[in-house]
Amino acid sequence: MSQDTLFDKVWDLHKVSRLPGGSDQLFIGLHLIHEVTSPQAFGALKDKNLKVKFPERTVATVDHIVPTDNQSRPFKDNLAEQMIETLEKNCLENKIRFFNIGSGNQGIVHVVAPELGLTQPGMTIACGDSHTSTHGAFGSIAFGIGTSQVRDVLATQTIAMNKLKVRQIWCENKLSHGVYAKDLVLHIINELGVKAGVGFAYEFAGPAISTLSMEERMTICNMSIEGGARCGYINPDEKTFSYIKNKLCAPKNEQWNKALTWWKSLKSNEHSIYDDVIKLDASKVEPTVTWGITPGQSISINQKIPLLDDLSPNDKLVAKEAYEYMSFKPGQLIKDTPVDVCFIGSCTNGRISDLRVAAKVLKNKKVSKNVKAFVVPGSEKVATEAKKEGLDQIFKDSGFQWREPGCSMCLAMNSDKLIGNQVSASSSNRNFKGRQGSPSGRTLLMSPAMVAAAAINGRVSDVREFIN
Amino acid sequence: MESVFTPPIGKISHISGKCISLNGNDIDTDRIIPARFLKCVNFDSLGESVFEDDRKTLKGRHPFDLEENKDATILVVNSNFGCGSSREHAPQALMRWGIKAIIGESFADIFYSNCIAIGIPCFTLSKKLIQEIQNYIDNKFLFLEIDMKNSLAKTKDLILNLEIKESSRKMFLSGEWDATSTLLENENLIENKFNQLPYIKFNSHLT
């Protein structure tokens, strides 16, 4: 059983009681909500005649259903309009702070909370969204919950949960030129498998993690859930503190110094005990692309799609399904696979640094005429900053469509969808069957830089051929 | 006449019914309920859309479309069932279709918690046993009687030792799986915790 890790310290601090069944009752320090998984929770509260216990500990934004072309109200899609109206009403009635479209702070919930300084080390953070693990990049314990647990957090600010085990994933050395956090996390999921993290929190550590920026760290923690771990985190350091400093909701004045002292005391250290430790060499990671229907089915850009015989018995069943669905032949190269749609955005890779990297690849280049390419900034703040830096113009000049912030084609709840069996090169997080809006649509996950390279060539390409 | 859905309530100690088998590892919640069906402010109509895209692809041959499975209540699955999105809409859709319990090789974490929170027990068995059960169901009907207290599933001539997390088993037997009221019993402790946490004042704008 783990001891003295950041996870243990934060969990123990937030434990309210041991419930009769043996689960822990855990206090949730920050609760984030959005329009998709909260309406039924507010409904249940009403049915039970309960109030929101600490309205100031819940913050809302709208992201999943928002259109990215025309955001004027009412939305063209009646159901989407009904969802945003329901959220507006619930927030108003329950005195919950809501960052709506046009507030300057709307966006994907996992992009917004960190850039507002809401996400801080040592907190427990829950949200009705599996990519809540993103916030672990700051040394918080953050995880996705379902709607019934959203109801419980609203009513009690606590949930019933069993403590997770802790696995440290130690990443030696550092990433090579042209290789990004996305490649590293896809590599980790491929190495460990998509269910290795069940029952675990992942602590990402080592020199390759320390050298990453905060936004890159968010990309890593974001995809913990794709490896089965509902929670992933990184111990906070000077980069964490300087990212938070001066953000809207960051501690100010004497509170800042108190916060800093406390945050520094939380880290795992040489006395920490883990349930498991895995070591890997980050310098060996290459630009990585998924070829299948789970985020674990990935290869580096110059590799061939694995033969059935090369896979473990456990992986064969899904591999067979993947060959058929993706129309790939075992042994085929992934490089040069034609793509129809290129999507840059999502809570994994829709931040300003992602847009900068992609814009650098696209500068003075044109998107292939066979490709529909669009970029969806992760938030209004990201969009504003990108415009200030002239990135929007670089994207537009290259042939990318510049859109308004939201989740968009990561899960295709708005009108941004694949059509038929189109192939997308996508900076998002899931390549599940039908994920991007067409029941036969095919998704290749990769870094935003690799999406940009694929957009130019109209084929899956090695971004290292585009950058110096 | 269409049956009216009634959600489970209180103690869950016995579940009996016909099994339905669904083969495949890593069946994600996007497949259980595609995202376009999440555009709703209640769960009421999700049952008919469960596995919508998989069912359309199989044109009536999907287990959830077969006439003989129409009244099944116990779903038998393989490994990492329910991975991906945290959408509770997935177990809600299964429940509204008629599923009352799931037996599988393994489950994704958030899906498992969601099932517990809405009153669907998830049990595990070894890969070998699951495959034997699935092979059996391919040819014959299998009716199981699940006894929560002893974690057993019985048929006329077979007894299976089901595995379930002890905390989940206790919660089903006590009714505490519907957690809100149990959590609220500790209201004083919650207030104390709130006052003790070092960071509540750090987000000064929120107070």
mmCIF file of all heavy atoms in Angstrom, chain A residues 13-15 17 25 29 53 56 77 97 120 146-148 151-152 162 199 230 249 314 321 435, chain B residues 28 30-31 39 84-86 88 109 113-114 127 167 180 183 186 191 193 198-199 203 205-206:
data_model
loop_
_atom_site.group_PDB
_atom_site.id
_atom_site.type_symbol
_atom_site.label_atom_id
_atom_site.label_comp_id
_atom_site.label_asym_id
_atom_site.label_seq_id
_atom_site.Cartn_x
_atom_site.Cartn_y
_atom_site.Cartn_z
ATOM 1 N N LEU A 13 -5.856 14.094 3.755
ATOM 2 C CA LEU A 13 -6.309 15.420 4.185
ATOM 3 C C LEU A 13 -7.797 15.615 3.909
ATOM 4 O O LEU A 13 -8.497 16.269 4.676
ATOM 5 C CB LEU A 13 -5.502 16.510 3.453
ATOM 6 C CG LEU A 13 -5.939 17.950 3.713
ATOM 7 C CD1 LEU A 13 -5.626 18.346 5.162
ATOM 8 C CD2 LEU A 13 -5.260 18.916 2.755
ATOM 9 N N HIS A 14 -8.280 15.043 2.809
ATOM 10 C CA HIS A 14 -9.663 15.282 2.389
ATOM 11 C C HIS A 14 -10.653 14.223 2.864
ATOM 12 O O HIS A 14 -11.838 14.310 2.588
ATOM 13 C CB HIS A 14 -9.738 15.395 0.853
ATOM 14 C CG HIS A 14 -9.127 16.653 0.344
ATOM 15 N ND1 HIS A 14 -7.777 16.789 0.108
ATOM 16 C CD2 HIS A 14 -9.670 17.863 0.046
ATOM 17 C CE1 HIS A 14 -7.520 18.001 -0.320
ATOM 18 N NE2 HIS A 14 -8.636 18.678 -0.368
ATOM 19 N N LYS A 15 -10.122 13.233 3.575
ATOM 20 C CA LYS A 15 -11.005 12.157 4.045
ATOM 21 C C LYS A 15 -11.877 12.675 5.185
ATOM 22 O O LYS A 15 -11.373 13.166 6.188
ATOM 23 C CB LYS A 15 -10.140 10.982 4.518
ATOM 24 C CG LYS A 15 -10.913 9.747 4.834
ATOM 25 C CD LYS A 15 -9.941 8.601 5.072
ATOM 26 C CE LYS A 15 -10.581 7.608 6.025
ATOM 27 N NZ LYS A 15 -9.689 6.480 6.300
ATOM 28 N N SER A 17 -14.687 10.744 6.453
ATOM 29 C CA SER A 17 -15.020 9.608 7.320
ATOM 30 C C SER A 17 -14.826 8.304 6.566
ATOM 31 O O SER A 17 -14.669 8.297 5.345
ATOM 32 C CB SER A 17 -16.489 9.695 7.779
ATOM 33 O OG SER A 17 -17.342 9.343 6.697
ATOM 34 N N GLN A 25 -15.321 8.626 2.637
ATOM 35 C CA GLN A 25 -16.077 9.817 2.238
ATOM 36 C C GLN A 25 -15.050 10.913 2.022
ATOM 37 O O GLN A 25 -14.336 11.309 2.938
ATOM 38 C CB GLN A 25 -17.064 10.219 3.343
ATOM 39 C CG GLN A 25 -17.875 11.452 2.976
ATOM 40 C CD GLN A 25 -18.953 11.776 4.018
ATOM 41 O OE1 GLN A 25 -18.972 11.190 5.106
ATOM 42 N NE2 GLN A 25 -19.837 12.701 3.690
ATOM 43 N N GLY A 29 -12.622 19.595 -3.078
ATOM 44 C CA GLY A 29 -12.248 21.000 -2.905
ATOM 45 C C GLY A 29 -12.752 21.895 -4.012
ATOM 46 O O GLY A 29 -13.131 23.048 -3.773
ATOM 47 N N LYS A 53 -24.679 22.572 -1.274
ATOM 48 C CA LYS A 53 -24.137 22.838 0.055
ATOM 49 C C LYS A 53 -23.132 23.993 0.078
ATOM 50 O O LYS A 53 -23.199 24.875 0.904
ATOM 51 C CB LYS A 53 -23.489 21.556 0.603
ATOM 52 C CG LYS A 53 -23.024 21.722 2.034
ATOM 53 C CD LYS A 53 -22.946 20.403 2.750
ATOM 54 C CE LYS A 53 -22.465 20.579 4.181
ATOM 55 N NZ LYS A 53 -23.403 21.368 5.003
ATOM 56 N N GLU A 56 -20.106 28.087 -3.652
ATOM 57 C CA GLU A 56 -18.872 28.781 -4.044
ATOM 58 C C GLU A 56 -17.747 27.812 -4.410
ATOM 59 O O GLU A 56 -16.745 28.225 -4.969
ATOM 60 C CB GLU A 56 -18.429 29.751 -2.933
ATOM 61 C CG GLU A 56 -17.882 29.097 -1.669
ATOM 62 C CD GLU A 56 -18.964 28.636 -0.686
ATOM 63 O OE1 GLU A 56 -20.151 28.563 -1.084
ATOM 64 O OE2 GLU A 56 -18.611 28.334 0.472
ATOM 65 N N ASP A 77 -29.283 24.500 -33.105
ATOM 66 C CA ASP A 77 -29.675 23.179 -32.603
ATOM 67 C C ASP A 77 -30.511 23.358 -31.326
ATOM 68 O O ASP A 77 -29.999 23.771 -30.283
ATOM 69 C CB ASP A 77 -28.387 22.377 -32.316
ATOM 70 C CG ASP A 77 -28.666 20.996 -31.747
ATOM 71 O OD1 ASP A 77 -29.808 20.728 -31.316
ATOM 72 O OD2 ASP A 77 -27.726 20.186 -31.728
ATOM 73 N N ARG A 97 -21.074 30.190 -9.883
ATOM 74 C CA ARG A 97 -20.390 31.054 -10.841
ATOM 75 C C ARG A 97 -20.294 30.357 -12.200
ATOM 76 O O ARG A 97 -19.838 29.215 -12.287
ATOM 77 C CB ARG A 97 -18.985 31.381 -10.324
ATOM 78 C CG ARG A 97 -18.338 32.472 -11.119
ATOM 79 C CD ARG A 97 -17.304 33.169 -10.267
ATOM 80 N NE ARG A 97 -16.681 34.226 -11.047
ATOM 81 C CZ ARG A 97 -15.644 34.919 -10.620
ATOM 82 N NH1 ARG A 97 -15.133 34.674 -9.437
ATOM 83 N NH2 ARG A 97 -15.124 35.866 -11.370
ATOM 84 N N GLN A 120 -5.310 24.196 -8.356
ATOM 85 C CA GLN A 120 -4.123 24.429 -7.517
ATOM 86 C C GLN A 120 -3.636 23.127 -6.888
ATOM 87 O O GLN A 120 -4.422 22.195 -6.702
ATOM 88 C CB GLN A 120 -4.473 25.430 -6.409
ATOM 89 C CG GLN A 120 -4.770 26.835 -6.935
ATOM 90 C CD GLN A 120 -5.282 27.778 -5.861
ATOM 91 O OE1 GLN A 120 -5.158 27.503 -4.672
ATOM 92 N NE2 GLN A 120 -5.864 28.886 -6.283
ATOM 93 N N GLY A 146 -19.465 10.421 -12.391
ATOM 94 C CA GLY A 146 -20.720 10.368 -13.136
ATOM 95 C C GLY A 146 -21.749 11.318 -12.539
ATOM 96 O O GLY A 146 -21.482 11.989 -11.540
ATOM 97 N N THR A 147 -22.918 11.337 -13.153
ATOM 98 C CA THR A 147 -23.931 12.316 -12.758
ATOM 99 C C THR A 147 -24.437 12.115 -11.331
ATOM 100 O O THR A 147 -24.694 13.090 -10.627
ATOM 101 C CB THR A 147 -25.085 12.267 -13.775
ATOM 102 O OG1 THR A 147 -24.548 12.629 -15.048
ATOM 103 C CG2 THR A 147 -26.197 13.229 -13.420
ATOM 104 N N SER A 148 -24.566 10.861 -10.885
ATOM 105 C CA SER A 148 -25.034 10.634 -9.507
ATOM 106 C C SER A 148 -24.023 11.170 -8.505
ATOM 107 O O SER A 148 -24.390 11.685 -7.444
ATOM 108 C CB SER A 148 -25.267 9.149 -9.248
ATOM 109 O OG SER A 148 -26.322 8.698 -10.062
ATOM 110 N N ARG A 151 -24.344 14.874 -8.367
ATOM 111 C CA ARG A 151 -25.431 15.157 -7.406
ATOM 112 C C ARG A 151 -24.898 15.136 -5.970
ATOM 113 O O ARG A 151 -25.174 16.044 -5.182
ATOM 114 C CB ARG A 151 -26.527 14.096 -7.579
ATOM 115 C CG ARG A 151 -27.638 14.124 -6.529
ATOM 116 C CD ARG A 151 -28.332 12.757 -6.442
ATOM 117 N NE ARG A 151 -27.416 11.734 -5.946
ATOM 118 C CZ ARG A 151 -27.580 10.413 -6.122
ATOM 119 N NH1 ARG A 151 -28.598 9.959 -6.813
ATOM 120 N NH2 ARG A 151 -26.706 9.553 -5.623
ATOM 121 N N ASP A 152 -24.095 14.111 -5.645
ATOM 122 C CA ASP A 152 -23.569 13.996 -4.283
ATOM 123 C C ASP A 152 -22.644 15.157 -3.938
ATOM 124 O O ASP A 152 -22.658 15.650 -2.809
ATOM 125 C CB ASP A 152 -22.836 12.658 -4.102
ATOM 126 C CG ASP A 152 -23.807 11.489 -4.107
ATOM 127 O OD1 ASP A 152 -25.024 11.723 -3.980
ATOM 128 O OD2 ASP A 152 -23.344 10.339 -4.252
ATOM 129 N N ASN A 162 -13.380 4.518 -3.062
ATOM 130 C CA ASN A 162 -12.299 3.709 -2.494
ATOM 131 C C ASN A 162 -10.966 4.325 -2.886
ATOM 132 O O ASN A 162 -10.794 4.763 -4.023
ATOM 133 C CB ASN A 162 -12.368 2.276 -3.021
ATOM 134 C CG ASN A 162 -13.577 1.524 -2.489
ATOM 135 O OD1 ASN A 162 -14.004 1.744 -1.358
ATOM 136 N ND2 ASN A 162 -14.145 0.660 -3.316
ATOM 137 N N GLY A 199 -7.885 1.035 -11.071
ATOM 138 C CA GLY A 199 -7.596 0.920 -9.638
ATOM 139 C C GLY A 199 -6.401 1.734 -9.186
ATOM 140 O O GLY A 199 -6.071 1.756 -8.002
ATOM 141 N N ARG A 230 -8.072 6.739 -13.582
ATOM 142 C CA ARG A 230 -9.002 7.878 -13.569
ATOM 143 C C ARG A 230 -8.342 9.119 -13.008
ATOM 144 O O ARG A 230 -8.893 10.211 -13.103
ATOM 145 C CB ARG A 230 -10.309 7.515 -12.848
ATOM 146 C CG ARG A 230 -10.282 7.523 -11.354
ATOM 147 C CD ARG A 230 -11.526 6.885 -10.751
ATOM 148 N NE ARG A 230 -12.708 7.729 -10.818
ATOM 149 C CZ ARG A 230 -13.881 7.421 -10.229
ATOM 150 N NH1 ARG A 230 -14.015 6.280 -9.570
ATOM 151 N NH2 ARG A 230 -14.906 8.221 -10.304
ATOM 152 N N CYS A 249 -7.801 33.747 -10.208
ATOM 153 C CA CYS A 249 -8.236 33.168 -8.930
ATOM 154 C C CYS A 249 -7.074 32.661 -8.082
ATOM 155 O O CYS A 249 -7.276 31.914 -7.118
ATOM 156 C CB CYS A 249 -9.221 32.028 -9.175
ATOM 157 S SG CYS A 249 -10.581 32.507 -10.231
ATOM 158 N N ASN A 314 -4.230 -11.250 -25.345
ATOM 159 C CA ASN A 314 -5.232 -10.295 -24.874
ATOM 160 C C ASN A 314 -5.538 -9.196 -25.881
ATOM 161 O O ASN A 314 -6.623 -8.654 -25.919
ATOM 162 C CB ASN A 314 -4.745 -9.623 -23.582
ATOM 163 C CG ASN A 314 -5.243 -10.394 -22.369
ATOM 164 O OD1 ASN A 314 -6.208 -11.146 -22.461
ATOM 165 N ND2 ASN A 314 -4.568 -10.201 -21.255
ATOM 166 N N GLU A 321 -10.691 -6.503 -34.604
ATOM 167 C CA GLU A 321 -11.787 -5.560 -34.765
ATOM 168 C C GLU A 321 -11.272 -4.258 -35.405
ATOM 169 O O GLU A 321 -11.942 -3.653 -36.246
ATOM 170 C CB GLU A 321 -12.340 -5.249 -33.364
ATOM 171 C CG GLU A 321 -13.835 -5.232 -33.249
ATOM 172 C CD GLU A 321 -14.274 -4.902 -31.812
ATOM 173 O OE1 GLU A 321 -13.710 -5.474 -30.859
ATOM 174 O OE2 GLU A 321 -15.177 -4.065 -31.678
ATOM 175 N N ARG A 435 -16.441 7.762 -32.565
ATOM 176 C CA ARG A 435 -16.201 8.852 -31.611
ATOM 177 C C ARG A 435 -16.392 10.245 -32.230
ATOM 178 O O ARG A 435 -16.889 11.151 -31.596
ATOM 179 C CB ARG A 435 -14.778 8.710 -31.062
ATOM 180 C CG ARG A 435 -14.282 9.893 -30.234
ATOM 181 C CD ARG A 435 -14.903 9.924 -28.853
ATOM 182 N NE ARG A 435 -14.348 11.026 -28.064
ATOM 183 C CZ ARG A 435 -14.678 11.279 -26.814
ATOM 184 N NH1 ARG A 435 -15.548 10.537 -26.177
ATOM 185 N NH2 ARG A 435 -14.146 12.293 -26.166
ATOM 186 N N ASP B 28 -16.193 0.636 -25.134
ATOM 187 C CA ASP B 28 -16.176 1.941 -24.474
ATOM 188 C C ASP B 28 -17.579 2.523 -24.348
ATOM 189 O O ASP B 28 -18.525 2.054 -24.990
ATOM 190 C CB ASP B 28 -15.243 2.889 -25.230
ATOM 191 C CG ASP B 28 -15.659 3.053 -26.679
ATOM 192 O OD1 ASP B 28 -16.622 3.779 -26.935
ATOM 193 O OD2 ASP B 28 -15.006 2.432 -27.572
ATOM 194 N N ASP B 30 -18.649 5.350 -25.394
ATOM 195 C CA ASP B 30 -19.137 5.959 -26.642
ATOM 196 C C ASP B 30 -19.927 4.940 -27.455
ATOM 197 O O ASP B 30 -20.865 5.289 -28.162
ATOM 198 C CB ASP B 30 -17.965 6.456 -27.503
ATOM 199 C CG ASP B 30 -17.547 7.869 -27.139
ATOM 200 O OD1 ASP B 30 -16.734 8.002 -26.203
ATOM 201 O OD2 ASP B 30 -18.020 8.830 -27.774
ATOM 202 N N ARG B 31 -19.513 3.667 -27.366
ATOM 203 C CA ARG B 31 -20.247 2.632 -28.091
ATOM 204 C C ARG B 31 -21.535 2.283 -27.372
ATOM 205 O O ARG B 31 -22.558 2.039 -28.007
ATOM 206 C CB ARG B 31 -19.370 1.390 -28.266
ATOM 207 C CG ARG B 31 -18.432 1.552 -29.453
ATOM 208 C CD ARG B 31 -17.418 0.466 -29.498
ATOM 209 N NE ARG B 31 -17.994 -0.803 -29.921
ATOM 210 C CZ ARG B 31 -17.275 -1.913 -30.003
ATOM 211 N NH1 ARG B 31 -15.987 -1.903 -29.687
ATOM 212 N NH2 ARG B 31 -17.842 -3.026 -30.406
ATOM 213 N N LYS B 39 -27.406 14.680 -25.728
ATOM 214 C CA LYS B 39 -28.076 15.983 -25.797
ATOM 215 C C LYS B 39 -29.471 15.845 -25.209
ATOM 216 O O LYS B 39 -30.469 15.775 -25.905
ATOM 217 C CB LYS B 39 -28.148 16.455 -27.251
ATOM 218 C CG LYS B 39 -26.923 17.286 -27.626
ATOM 219 C CD LYS B 39 -27.127 18.055 -28.895
ATOM 220 C CE LYS B 39 -26.434 17.341 -30.029
ATOM 221 N NZ LYS B 39 -26.671 17.972 -31.307
ATOM 222 N N GLY B 84 -13.330 4.667 -21.158
ATOM 223 C CA GLY B 84 -13.537 5.945 -21.833
ATOM 224 C C GLY B 84 -14.304 6.944 -20.996
ATOM 225 O O GLY B 84 -14.065 7.073 -19.791
ATOM 226 N N SER B 85 -15.232 7.597 -21.638
ATOM 227 C CA SER B 85 -15.975 8.728 -21.062
ATOM 228 C C SER B 85 -16.659 8.382 -19.744
ATOM 229 O O SER B 85 -17.090 7.250 -19.535
ATOM 230 C CB SER B 85 -17.014 9.171 -22.088
ATOM 231 O OG SER B 85 -18.067 9.878 -21.489
ATOM 232 N N SER B 86 -16.814 9.403 -18.882
ATOM 233 C CA SER B 86 -17.451 9.205 -17.570
ATOM 234 C C SER B 86 -18.969 9.240 -17.643
ATOM 235 O O SER B 86 -19.631 9.133 -16.622
ATOM 236 C CB SER B 86 -16.980 10.290 -16.604
ATOM 237 O OG SER B 86 -17.439 11.560 -17.036
ATOM 238 N N GLU B 88 -22.544 8.903 -17.279
ATOM 239 C CA GLU B 88 -23.432 7.961 -16.580
ATOM 240 C C GLU B 88 -24.549 7.513 -17.512
ATOM 241 O O GLU B 88 -25.247 6.526 -17.253
ATOM 242 C CB GLU B 88 -24.006 8.642 -15.329
ATOM 243 C CG GLU B 88 -24.772 7.717 -14.424
ATOM 244 C CD GLU B 88 -25.219 8.422 -13.153
ATOM 245 O OE1 GLU B 88 -24.342 8.861 -12.379
ATOM 246 O OE2 GLU B 88 -26.441 8.548 -12.943
ATOM 247 N N ASP B 109 -12.839 1.951 -14.267
ATOM 248 C CA ASP B 109 -13.112 2.501 -12.935
ATOM 249 C C ASP B 109 -14.354 3.388 -12.849
ATOM 250 O O ASP B 109 -15.176 3.225 -11.948
ATOM 251 C CB ASP B 109 -11.905 3.338 -12.462
ATOM 252 C CG ASP B 109 -10.931 2.505 -11.637
ATOM 253 O OD1 ASP B 109 -11.293 1.383 -11.240
ATOM 254 O OD2 ASP B 109 -9.811 2.984 -11.401
ATOM 255 N N SER B 113 -17.957 2.788 -10.870
ATOM 256 C CA SER B 113 -18.553 3.665 -9.835
ATOM 257 C C SER B 113 -19.938 4.130 -10.241
ATOM 258 O O SER B 113 -20.830 4.245 -9.401
ATOM 259 C CB SER B 113 -17.757 4.944 -9.592
ATOM 260 O OG SER B 113 -16.417 4.752 -9.654
ATOM 261 N N ASN B 114 -20.102 4.443 -11.524
ATOM 262 C CA ASN B 114 -21.419 4.892 -11.983
ATOM 263 C C ASN B 114 -22.470 3.797 -11.811
ATOM 264 O O ASN B 114 -23.605 4.069 -11.430
ATOM 265 C CB ASN B 114 -21.358 5.318 -13.452
ATOM 266 C CG ASN B 114 -20.674 6.665 -13.634
ATOM 267 O OD1 ASN B 114 -20.542 7.443 -12.692
ATOM 268 N ND2 ASN B 114 -20.221 6.949 -14.845
ATOM 269 N N LYS B 127 -11.373 -14.940 -16.823
ATOM 270 C CA LYS B 127 -11.540 -14.942 -18.279
ATOM 271 C C LYS B 127 -12.097 -16.276 -18.772
ATOM 272 O O LYS B 127 -13.000 -16.324 -19.603
ATOM 273 C CB LYS B 127 -10.144 -14.683 -18.883
ATOM 274 C CG LYS B 127 -10.094 -14.447 -20.372
ATOM 275 C CD LYS B 127 -8.611 -14.338 -20.774
ATOM 276 C CE LYS B 127 -8.444 -14.090 -22.238
ATOM 277 N NZ LYS B 127 -8.859 -12.722 -22.637
ATOM 278 N N SER B 167 -16.701 -3.424 -0.349
ATOM 279 C CA SER B 167 -17.444 -2.196 -0.027
ATOM 280 C C SER B 167 -18.705 -2.101 -0.887
ATOM 281 O O SER B 167 -19.759 -1.694 -0.400
ATOM 282 C CB SER B 167 -16.569 -0.962 -0.212
ATOM 283 O OG SER B 167 -16.041 -0.924 -1.523
ATOM 284 N N THR B 180 -26.331 9.574 -1.253
ATOM 285 C CA THR B 180 -26.500 10.954 -0.772
ATOM 286 C C THR B 180 -26.865 11.036 0.716
ATOM 287 O O THR B 180 -26.253 11.797 1.461
ATOM 288 C CB THR B 180 -27.568 11.691 -1.605
ATOM 289 O OG1 THR B 180 -27.432 11.301 -2.962
ATOM 290 C CG2 THR B 180 -27.406 13.194 -1.500
ATOM 291 N N LEU B 183 -24.031 10.144 3.045
ATOM 292 C CA LEU B 183 -23.014 11.201 3.074
ATOM 293 C C LEU B 183 -23.499 12.376 3.926
ATOM 294 O O LEU B 183 -22.733 12.982 4.671
ATOM 295 C CB LEU B 183 -22.693 11.679 1.652
ATOM 296 C CG LEU B 183 -22.044 10.657 0.712
ATOM 297 C CD1 LEU B 183 -21.968 11.197 -0.712
ATOM 298 C CD2 LEU B 183 -20.651 10.262 1.189
ATOM 299 N N ASN B 186 -23.124 12.844 7.831
ATOM 300 C CA ASN B 186 -21.899 13.384 8.436
ATOM 301 C C ASN B 186 -21.765 14.890 8.219
ATOM 302 O O ASN B 186 -20.663 15.396 8.045
ATOM 303 C CB ASN B 186 -20.673 12.676 7.847
ATOM 304 C CG ASN B 186 -20.627 11.221 8.252
ATOM 305 O OD1 ASN B 186 -21.017 10.885 9.370
ATOM 306 N ND2 ASN B 186 -20.175 10.371 7.353
ATOM 307 N N GLU B 191 -18.580 19.996 7.536
ATOM 308 C CA GLU B 191 -18.328 21.402 7.906
ATOM 309 C C GLU B 191 -16.934 21.546 8.522
ATOM 310 O O GLU B 191 -16.188 22.472 8.181
ATOM 311 C CB GLU B 191 -19.374 21.889 8.939
ATOM 312 C CG GLU B 191 -20.792 21.950 8.405
ATOM 313 C CD GLU B 191 -21.081 23.182 7.545
ATOM 314 O OE1 GLU B 191 -20.229 24.100 7.519
ATOM 315 O OE2 GLU B 191 -22.136 23.208 6.887
ATOM 316 N N LYS B 193 -14.340 19.662 8.100
ATOM 317 C CA LYS B 193 -13.324 19.468 7.062
ATOM 318 C C LYS B 193 -13.161 20.737 6.236
ATOM 319 O O LYS B 193 -12.051 21.187 5.974
ATOM 320 C CB LYS B 193 -13.727 18.267 6.174
ATOM 321 C CG LYS B 193 -12.738 17.856 5.128
ATOM 322 C CD LYS B 193 -11.359 17.587 5.683
ATOM 323 C CE LYS B 193 -11.203 16.217 6.318
ATOM 324 N NZ LYS B 193 -9.837 16.000 6.848
ATOM 325 N N PRO B 198 -6.520 23.899 4.251
ATOM 326 C CA PRO B 198 -5.660 25.089 4.204
ATOM 327 C C PRO B 198 -5.980 26.024 3.039
ATOM 328 O O PRO B 198 -5.667 27.205 3.112
ATOM 329 C CB PRO B 198 -4.251 24.511 4.064
ATOM 330 C CG PRO B 198 -4.394 23.095 3.710
ATOM 331 C CD PRO B 198 -5.768 22.656 4.092
ATOM 332 N N TYR B 199 -6.599 25.509 1.973
ATOM 333 C CA TYR B 199 -6.659 26.313 0.754
ATOM 334 C C TYR B 199 -7.979 27.025 0.491
ATOM 335 O O TYR B 199 -8.113 27.710 -0.510
ATOM 336 C CB TYR B 199 -6.315 25.449 -0.456
ATOM 337 C CG TYR B 199 -7.227 24.275 -0.698
ATOM 338 C CD1 TYR B 199 -8.480 24.448 -1.275
ATOM 339 C CD2 TYR B 199 -6.825 22.982 -0.370
ATOM 340 C CE1 TYR B 199 -9.314 23.367 -1.505
ATOM 341 C CE2 TYR B 199 -7.645 21.898 -0.592
ATOM 342 C CZ TYR B 199 -8.889 22.087 -1.162
ATOM 343 O OH TYR B 199 -9.713 21.013 -1.390
ATOM 344 N N ASN B 203 -8.550 30.650 -2.874
ATOM 345 C CA ASN B 203 -9.385 31.131 -3.984
ATOM 346 C C ASN B 203 -10.272 32.247 -3.445
ATOM 347 O O ASN B 203 -11.470 32.093 -3.322
ATOM 348 C CB ASN B 203 -10.314 30.028 -4.504
ATOM 349 C CG ASN B 203 -9.585 28.924 -5.232
ATOM 350 O OD1 ASN B 203 -9.864 27.773 -4.998
ATOM 351 N ND2 ASN B 203 -8.698 29.251 -6.131
ATOM 352 N N HIS B 205 -11.669 34.861 -4.432
ATOM 353 C CA HIS B 205 -12.822 35.316 -5.203
ATOM 354 C C HIS B 205 -14.021 34.388 -5.049
ATOM 355 O O HIS B 205 -15.126 34.720 -5.409
ATOM 356 C CB HIS B 205 -12.456 35.375 -6.676
ATOM 357 C CG HIS B 205 -12.448 34.024 -7.267
ATOM 358 N ND1 HIS B 205 -11.474 33.116 -6.946
ATOM 359 C CD2 HIS B 205 -13.336 33.395 -8.044
ATOM 360 C CE1 HIS B 205 -11.756 31.987 -7.546
ATOM 361 N NE2 HIS B 205 -12.876 32.117 -8.219
ATOM 362 N N LEU B 206 -13.788 33.143 -4.592
ATOM 363 C CA LEU B 206 -14.887 32.173 -4.523
ATOM 364 C C LEU B 206 -15.664 32.269 -3.214
ATOM 365 O O LEU B 206 -16.718 31.684 -3.081
ATOM 366 C CB LEU B 206 -14.360 30.740 -4.683
ATOM 367 C CG LEU B 206 -13.864 30.320 -6.062
ATOM 368 C CD1 LEU B 206 -13.400 28.876 -6.041
ATOM 369 C CD2 LEU B 206 -14.926 30.501 -7.133
#
